[in-house]
Amino acid sequence: MLHRAQAGDQAAFSELVRIHQDEVYTLALRLTADRELAADVSQEAFVRAWRALPKFRGDAKFSTWMHRIVVNVAWTQRRKQRKHRADPIDESFAEPVSEAISPERAAESAAMQGRIRSALRELPLPVRTVVVLKDVYGWSHGEISEHLEITVAAAKVRLHRGRKQLRSRLWKEVEVEA
Amino acid sequence: MRGICVIVRSIAPSADPAGLPGPLGNHAATCLRCQAELARYSKLRRQLAVMADVTEPAPDPLAASVADAIATDPPEAGDSESRPRPTRAAAAGAVAAAAAGAVAVAVWRQSKAAV
């Protein structure tokens, strides 16, 4: 399917879009915390992927390659928006649907997951982006620094701050609840 | 809270999940407060990692809008995400060109003055 898409087969590419759209949209949503913007970022990412597909050598998985494009598009959007408004926060950013984790594990972590998502949305976008890429998607500091055009040290500082803010928000909540 | 606990708390967000090195590790092995703090960060990182397996359904029109967008937009061999982005490379090139130009002009003026 990938090879057919690389050869210009639009139907094959549409199938790739269908397979990867949820994953791409989820990453875009986590980075932007804004449903409308995430949809725009996802569409732009797929269009860029389509254009660049002949150059895709398959060194990484297609999904990994798409993730990089999504990050680039989201970061570009962020630069455009930075002049006009503060970080967008979408209040309708609901609970994602669990697909791949076991029911036991999902049930065990559901409450914590909800709190983490809320806390993540409250992080400043530059910090949230690094936390999402490193701790959720397992990017290295080198990959993060390359794609966000920041130094490795800056990436580490943002990750440290992000985790600290998340910890503060999450366990403060628990203490209040208790 | 002891001073060493403050240090552990300050480095805990970036601490190796395998444990703290040296005296800090020795302290944490016997300090319940520090163990609890490190455990919170371990739990946080585990929960964040779990999110990688969770997806949000894309809006219905996404696939259709992508199909519309690419219908009149054939793949371009020269347009690649792997291509270096122009921002820093272009800026560095411009600075280098300007510096080379300034040197060339200075050399030309000196040679002209000598004549």
Side-chain angles (χ1 to χ4, degrees):
Chain A
M1 186 191 311
L2 181 59
H3 294 309
R4 284 196 286 123
Q6 283 184 302
D9 184 335
Q10 292 182 6
F13 186 72
S14 293
E15 186 61 14
L16 282 175
V17 172
R18 192 190 63 75
I19 292 169
H20 293 280
Q21 62 178 354
D22 290 354
E23 196 179 343
V24 163
Y25 177 71
T26 300
L27 173 57
L29 187 56
R30 284 179 181 148
L31 295 177
T32 63
D34 182 295
R35 290 183 177 280
E36 195 176 335
L37 189 54
D40 290 346
V41 166
S42 302
Q43 180 181 336
E44 174 65 19
F46 278 121
V47 171
R48 283 198 198 182
W50 167 251
R51 290 177 187 157
L53 208 50
K55 285 285 185 80
F56 176 61
R57 296 188 303 269
D59 296 339
K61 288 196 300 183
F62 179 77
S63 57
T64 305
W65 186 65
M66 278 304 308
H67 281 185
R68 291 173 184 158
I69 297 175
V70 171
V71 171
N72 286 343
V73 174
W75 206 241
T76 304
Q77 291 276 7
R78 179 241 178 190
R79 282 179 177 150
K80 287 179 186 170
Q81 289 206 329
R82 193 164 46 177
K83 294 176 184 174
H84 304 297
R85 60 171 174 159
D87 290 348
I89 302 234
D90 185 346
E91 297 300 335
S92 67
F93 183 9
E95 297 283 311
V97 178
S98 173
E99 285 184 347
I101 57 178
S102 69
E104 294 82 7
R105 198 175 172 192
E108 192 176 278
S109 62
M112 186 68 176
Q113 286 282 310
R115 288 202 299 272
I116 287 180
R117 274 188 286 275
S118 297
L120 266 177
R121 290 201 302 276
E122 292 173 21
L123 294 181
L125 181 58
V127 173
R128 181 172 67 234
T129 301
V130 173
V131 171
V132 166
L133 295 180
K134 182 74 173 70
D135 282 347
V136 179
Y137 292 97
W139 285 34
S140 69
H141 283 299
E143 288 175 308
I144 292 169
S145 73
E146 180 190 344
H147 282 272
L148 303 187
E149 296 186 344
I150 60 175
T151 64
V152 169
K156 288 181 178 178
V157 168
R158 288 182 191 179
L159 181 66
H160 186 94
R161 282 186 191 152
R163 286 174 178 167
K164 195 172 175 182
Q165 289 175 35
L166 287 175
R167 176 257 175 267
S168 172
R169 288 184 169 118
L170 290 168
W171 276 278
K172 185 180 174 185
E173 279 182 26
V174 171
E175 285 161 12
V176 168
E177 284 170 7
Chain B
M1 186 184 297
R2 294 171 56 187
I4 197 165
C5 296
V6 175
I7 296 172
V8 169
R9 178 173 283 248
S10 69
I11 65 170
S14 301
D16 186 339
L20 296 172
L24 293 176
N26 295 338
H27 166 76
T30 58
C31 175
L32 293 179
R33 187 191 300 269
C34 289
Q35 287 173 19
E37 184 67 2
L38 292 167
R40 288 187 185 111
Y41 281 104
S42 293
K43 185 173 184 180
L44 171 63
R45 289 162 76 165
R46 279 199 309 273
Q47 292 292 332
L48 285 167
V50 165
M51 289 174 71
D53 297 327
V54 179
T55 56
E56 174 89 356
D60 283 341
L62 179 58
S65 62
V66 172
D68 286 347
I70 68 170
T72 55
D73 191 356
E76 298 168 9
D79 188 357
S80 170
E81 283 301 313
S82 61
R83 188 176 60 187
R85 279 161 290 183
T87 47
R88 289 188 179 179
V95 169
V103 169
V105 169
V107 169
W108 176 74
R109 280 183 178 163
Q110 280 182 347
S111 63
K112 195 173 181 183
V115 172

